[in-house]
Amino acid sequence: MPSAKTEITEITTGLAISGVDSVEEGLRARPVANVGDEAWQRLVAHERDGQHRQEFAAAWANGRAFLAADDGLRGRPPRLVEWKGPTQAPGDEVVPADLRVDHVWLVSCKYLSK
């Protein structure tokens, strides 16, 4: 199971990319694919307890930047945002993608990662 910080940053980045208006709305709507019920429950609990506000804020800002970027989605909400966290990449995939957007964009969320 990924760490709390990993789940928060990766899934919250995906929430922001999806085009929802807030973290709270995203947690209700669950617009990121491949996130199991237990992970959603943990994410909701982490958001409510307030101990990871900085991680939520940074991930939200990064996801919104990708959504708005001219070299990204140009403000167009994607049809599909998938979390890659719980899956193993087939073969020798060299891109350490945490999110896949519209089957095209591979997004790696590294926040002070070792």
Side-chain angles (χ1 to χ4, degrees), residues 51-107:
Q51 293 182 24
H52 298 279
R53 285 189 182 113
Q54 186 173 355
E55 287 87 354
F56 275 100
W60 183 264
N62 286 333
R64 294 312 264 194
F66 182 80
L67 176 62
D70 288 340
D71 290 337
L73 292 172
R74 299 183 192 133
R76 176 195 58 82
R79 290 185 181 188
L80 180 64
V81 178
E82 300 170 90
W83 185 41
K84 304 300 286 174
T87 61
Q88 287 289 337
D92 294 328
E93 187 173 306
V94 294
V95 178
D98 300 311
L99 299 167
R100 184 170 66 174
V101 180
D102 284 346
H103 301 287
V104 174
W105 299 97
L106 298 175
V107 178

Side-chain angles (χ1 to χ4, degrees), residues 6-93:
T6 295
E7 284 187 340
I8 291 166
T9 55
E10 292 176 3
I11 300 169
T12 302
T13 300
L15 292 177
I17 289 171
S18 78
V20 296
D21 290 328
S22 66
V23 171
E24 296 79 13
E25 179 185 340
L27 292 174
R28 285 189 304 274
R30 296 174 59 161
V32 180
N34 299 332
V35 180
D37 291 338
E38 290 179 5
W40 281 116
Q41 291 168 1
R42 286 189 301 273
L43 197 63
V44 168
H46 290 308
E47 196 276 329
R48 286 186 182 153
D49 76 21
Q51 293 182 24
H52 298 279
R53 285 189 182 113
Q54 186 173 355
E55 287 87 354
F56 275 100
W60 183 264
N62 286 333
R64 294 312 264 194
F66 182 80
L67 176 62
D70 288 340
D71 290 337
L73 292 172
R74 299 183 192 133
R76 176 195 58 82
R79 290 185 181 188
L80 180 64
V81 178
E82 300 170 90
W83 185 41
K84 304 300 286 174
T87 61
Q88 287 289 337
D92 294 328
E93 187 173 306

